[in-house]
Amino acid sequence: MRELVAVARFGGRIYWRDRVAVSTSVALSLGLGIGLPVLFSKLGEDVPVLATHLGLLGMLVTLTALNQAAVSLSARRDQLILKRMRATGLRDRDILGGELVNITLQSTLVAVAISVVLYATGTVPPPAQPVVFLVFVVAGAGVLALLGAAFTAAISRAEIASVMAMPFFLLAGVGGGGFGPMLKLLPEWVQSAFGLLPSTALVRALTIAHEGGAWSGYLMPALNLAIWAVIGLAAIKLWFRWESRKS
């Protein structure tokens, strides 16, 4: 556990010193996550501000967790940082686990910051079940970061990682409602397919937490995230690469 925490702290220091990560992941997320709901709240009562906020959270957690994990771990791999860390005697699970804990924490902090600002300004009401809301934000960020790590197996070079991961951000926006009610314009089978995404399950769980729904309503989102977590772990075990192909 001590080694995992040390790797997470190391990753956090690198994260906040990375101007690209801070500008694209943090600044962009805060700007979109706060700016759009505030703007929509000025347009009238007919605009679904809360639904937009929750849909944006699904998008932005995907950006700050899955996309960031794919970009960061691809860069660490190609720079041989992961290989050197293994050479120190650290266990694989501590290295990868520490990186993912750091990314999950950063993603959660961004989502919480967005939400707190919107609650404080009265743009959206706070959730009826705030603890459950936070639990699912952490769980969703963790699962998406895990999937981002698994996706690095398909990324040949770190330079193209952000481009290759971007479709997941866009899919999360459509499936969760971050781009508005676009999903309703699509055929039912497409809507059902989008419903299987982990980001969509996250938005559903956050919606239930906001409304104070029955506990049974969390079953399907939790099951969805658990299945994706198993898929991510299996993919990492089978295909994750600790060093670049060139090396």
Side-chain angles (χ1 to χ4, degrees):
M1 180 61 71
R2 186 188 307 171
E3 290 82 2
L4 187 148
V5 172
V7 174
R9 292 177 61 185
F10 171 71
R13 287 196 296 269
I14 294 178
Y15 181 87
W16 289 107
R17 291 175 182 174
D18 186 345
R19 295 181 180 179
V20 176
V22 172
S23 62
T24 58
S25 182
V26 178
L28 176 62
S29 296
L30 292 175
L32 282 176
I34 297 172
L36 282 181
V38 170
L39 175 62
F40 287 174
S41 68
K42 307 296 183 183
L43 299 180
E45 297 180 357
D46 295 334
V47 181
V49 180
L50 178 58
T52 300
H53 162 57
L54 297 177
L56 283 169
L57 280 187
M59 280 177 60
L60 298 176
V61 170
T62 300
L63 177 67
T64 56
L66 188 154
N67 291 45
Q68 186 61 39
V71 172
S72 296
L73 291 174
S74 295
R76 308 259 202 284
R77 178 194 66 198
D78 289 6
Q79 294 166 0
L80 301 182
I81 293 176
L82 296 179
K83 183 178 180 180
R84 290 168 186 156
M85 292 174 74
R86 294 181 89 190
T88 64
L90 287 170
R91 294 174 297 182
D92 291 352
R93 65 184 182 184
D94 290 330
I95 298 171
L96 194 54
E99 293 284 359
L100 295 180
V101 166
N102 166 59
I103 292 170
T104 299
L105 177 60
Q106 310 301 342
S107 179
T108 300
L109 288 175
V110 170
V112 169
I114 291 170
S115 300
V116 168
V117 170
L118 294 179
Y119 304 153
T121 57
T123 304
V124 296
Q129 298 169 340
V131 175
V132 181
F133 183 91
L134 180 60
V135 167
F136 269 97
V137 169
V138 174
V143 171
L144 288 164
L146 190 66
L147 293 172
F151 185 63
T152 59
I155 301 173
S156 59
R157 305 191 315 275
E159 293 82 1
I160 62 173
S162 59
V163 176
M164 290 188 65
M166 188 54 64
F168 297 107
F169 171 72
L170 300 176
L171 290 173
V174 176
F179 293 137
M182 291 179 58
L183 193 61
K184 296 180 180 179
L185 304 177
L186 301 175
E188 289 188 7
W189 68 270
V190 177
Q191 296 183 33
S192 299
F194 272 101
L196 300 176
L197 296 176
S199 54
T200 305
L202 172 60
V203 173
R204 286 177 179 169
L206 298 185
T207 302
I208 296 170
H210 253 279
E211 297 173 349
W215 291 99
S216 58
Y218 294 111
L219 179 60
M220 292 307 296
L223 180 62
N224 178 292
L225 292 176
I227 291 173
W228 279 108
V230 171
I231 292 172
L233 287 170
I236 288 174
K237 185 175 180 62
L238 291 172
W239 299 302
F240 186 80
R241 290 186 289 113
W242 292 91
E243 54 189 275
S244 65
R245 294 192 177 101
K246 294 180 181 179
S247 64

